[in-house]
């Protein structure tokens, strides 16, 4: 029973995530590019997506979860505790920033767009996964 | 230039935050989309199902959004070259940097993780720079 509830939680949480991406219009690459275009015709809407998400997630985390080591169902909470600033973190984030700046699409919105039926979004997701796998391959060898 | 939509963006953002807190509270997991997507193809079978359901949810969520009058963009205004290069860099960079806009930008910044704050400052600055120099 608990197993099914956990799976239901995963599905519901994902559904809320996709709904939030759509209502906030983060699914629209044009909105994202306008947000990143601070030196041009700047549309700060996407900053408010982040602020809204941070208010809810931040208060939930600091009020409910800060001192918890286990989830509601007793599983260890899986959070990276490292504070090590590695070259991989900086290089990876910079590369991600280039791709995000070119397309205006990050992984969540890419998935949220699948029901649009646009062939380009399927290609985006496949190539993005290929990029992830390539990085895994590189990490094993460097 | 797109229209400024403060209320909808704030509400949508709050829903995303709620989703992330639910996943962490009940499942003990960070709602980092790139990590969940990558691990959905690599981990053992019993660890895969919840990830696939989470991803399925992200795809289904917008169908509910239609009832609230939201819309998905009709066609992506990107050339094939931009699309393919950009998508590869998004996947490669998110994997190498251990996270993207969701895992670092929301969950990590929300917990005041120094790694995630650094990552977010880097990818935001780089993306702003790229948009500024691209025609």
């Amino acid at each position: 029973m608990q197993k099914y509830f956990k799976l239901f939680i995963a599905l519901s949480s994902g559904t809320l995530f996709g709904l939030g991406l759509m209502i906030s219009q983060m699914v629209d690459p044009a909105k994202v590019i306008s947000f990143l275009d601070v030196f041009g015709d700047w549309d700060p809407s996407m900053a408010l997506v982040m602020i809204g998400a941070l208010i809810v997630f931040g208060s939930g985390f600091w009020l409910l979860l800060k001192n918890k080591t286990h989830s509601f169902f007793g599983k260890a909470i899986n959070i990276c505790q490292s504070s090590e600033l590695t070259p991989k973190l900086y290089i990876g984030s910079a590369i991600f920033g280039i791709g995000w700046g070119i397309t205006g699409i990050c992984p969540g919105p890419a998935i949220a767009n699948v029901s649009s039926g646009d062939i380009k979004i399927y290609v985006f997701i496949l190539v993005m996964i290929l990029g992830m796998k390539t990085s895994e391959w590189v990490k094993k060898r460097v | 230039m797109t229209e400024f939509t403060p209320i909808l963006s704030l509400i949508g953002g709050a829903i995303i935050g709620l989703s992330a807190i639910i996943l962490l509270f009940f499942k003990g997991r960070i709602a980092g989309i790139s990590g969940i997507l990558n691990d959905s193809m690599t981990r053992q079978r019993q660890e895969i199902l919840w990830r696939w359901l989470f991803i399925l949810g992200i795809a289904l969520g917008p169908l509910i959004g239609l009832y609230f009058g939201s819309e998905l963009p009709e066609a992506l205004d990107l050339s094939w070259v931009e699309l393919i290069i950009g998508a590869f860099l998004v996947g490669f960079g998110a994997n190498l940097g251990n996270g993207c806009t969701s895992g670092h930008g929301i969950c990590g910044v929300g917990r005041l993780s120094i790694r995630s704050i650094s990552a977010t400052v880097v990818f935001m600055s780089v993306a702003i720079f790229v948009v500024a120099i691209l025609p």
Side-chain angles (χ1 to χ4, degrees):
Chain A
M1 201 53 211
Q2 202 191 86
K3 182 185 158 199
Y4 293 107
F5 187 72
K6 280 189 198 166
L7 293 175
F8 174 72
I9 286 289
L11 181 65
S12 318
S13 165
T15 305
L16 278 175
F17 204 100
L19 179 64
L21 285 172
M22 191 196 201
I23 289 181
S24 68
Q25 280 303 295
M26 190 143 180
V27 283
D28 185 356
K31 288 287 275 189
V32 176
I33 298 287
S34 294
F35 163 67
L36 295 170
D37 196 12
V38 286
F39 302 112
D41 280 329
W42 192 42
D43 172 3
S45 305
M46 293 303 109
L48 290 160
V49 182
M50 215 172 155
I51 291 169
L54 283 175
I55 290 172
V56 174
F57 180 81
S59 51
F61 178 79
W62 291 94
L63 295 174
L64 286 173
L65 291 162
K66 180 64 192 98
N67 299 314
K68 287 239 165 74
T69 53
H70 290 79
S71 72
F72 184 73
F73 292 116
K75 252 202 159 179
I77 288 183
N78 200 324
I79 292 182
C80 168
Q81 297 297 351
S82 165
S83 56
E84 205 189 346
L85 298 169
T86 59
K88 266 199 302 198
L89 180 79
Y90 286 120
I91 296 168
S93 298
I95 293 174
F96 171 74
I98 299 172
W100 193 37
I102 293 174
T103 59
I105 306 171
C106 52
I111 299 167
N113 264 304
V114 293
S115 57
S116 72
D118 186 345
I119 175 85
K120 281 185 172 164
I121 202 66
Y122 306 117
V123 174
F124 185 97
I125 292 171
L126 286 177
V127 176
M128 175 176 77
I129 291 171
L130 181 71
M132 289 174 173
K133 296 297 157 201
T134 309
S135 160
E136 294 271 314
W137 186 85
V138 170
K139 280 194 286 190
K140 275 185 203 135
R141 280 158 187 82
V142 176
Chain B
M1 168 80 183
T2 50
E3 201 190 330
F4 183 44
T5 52
I7 305 295
L8 283 178
S9 290
L10 203 57
I11 294 172
I15 296 173
I16 295 171
L18 179 67
S19 151
I21 207 74
I22 289 174
L23 195 69
L24 192 57
F25 183 80
F26 287 104
K27 199 87 185 78
R29 294 289 183 162
I30 289 289
I33 312 305
S34 55
I36 291 177
L37 182 62
N38 188 56
D39 290 346
S40 74
M41 292 169 290
T42 52
R43 299 290 170 97
Q44 317 96 308
R45 190 169 289 177
Q46 63 269 32
E47 280 292 299
I48 283 180
L49 189 56
W50 76 266
R51 290 184 168 86
W52 278 100
L53 286 169
F54 183 81
I55 292 165
L56 176 69
I58 298 178
L60 291 178
L63 300 177
I64 300 172
L66 293 173
Y67 287 99
F68 296 101
S70 289
E71 279 172 18
L72 289 173
E74 274 173 25
L76 297 178
D77 184 23
L78 288 167
S79 73
W80 283 104
V81 175
E82 291 170 322
L83 183 95
I84 288 170
I85 293 174
F88 187 86
L89 297 177
V90 164
F92 187 94
N95 184 279
L96 189 65
N98 276 106
C100 56
T101 16
S102 48
H104 281 316
I106 292 166
C107 299
V109 172
R111 328 185 266 114
L112 302 178
S113 148
I114 188 71
R115 272 172 61 85
S116 291
I117 293 169
S118 312
T120 306
V121 168
V122 170
F123 68 65
M124 282 272 182
S125 317
V126 171
I128 287 170
F129 177 74
V130 168
V131 170
I133 60 163
L134 280 184

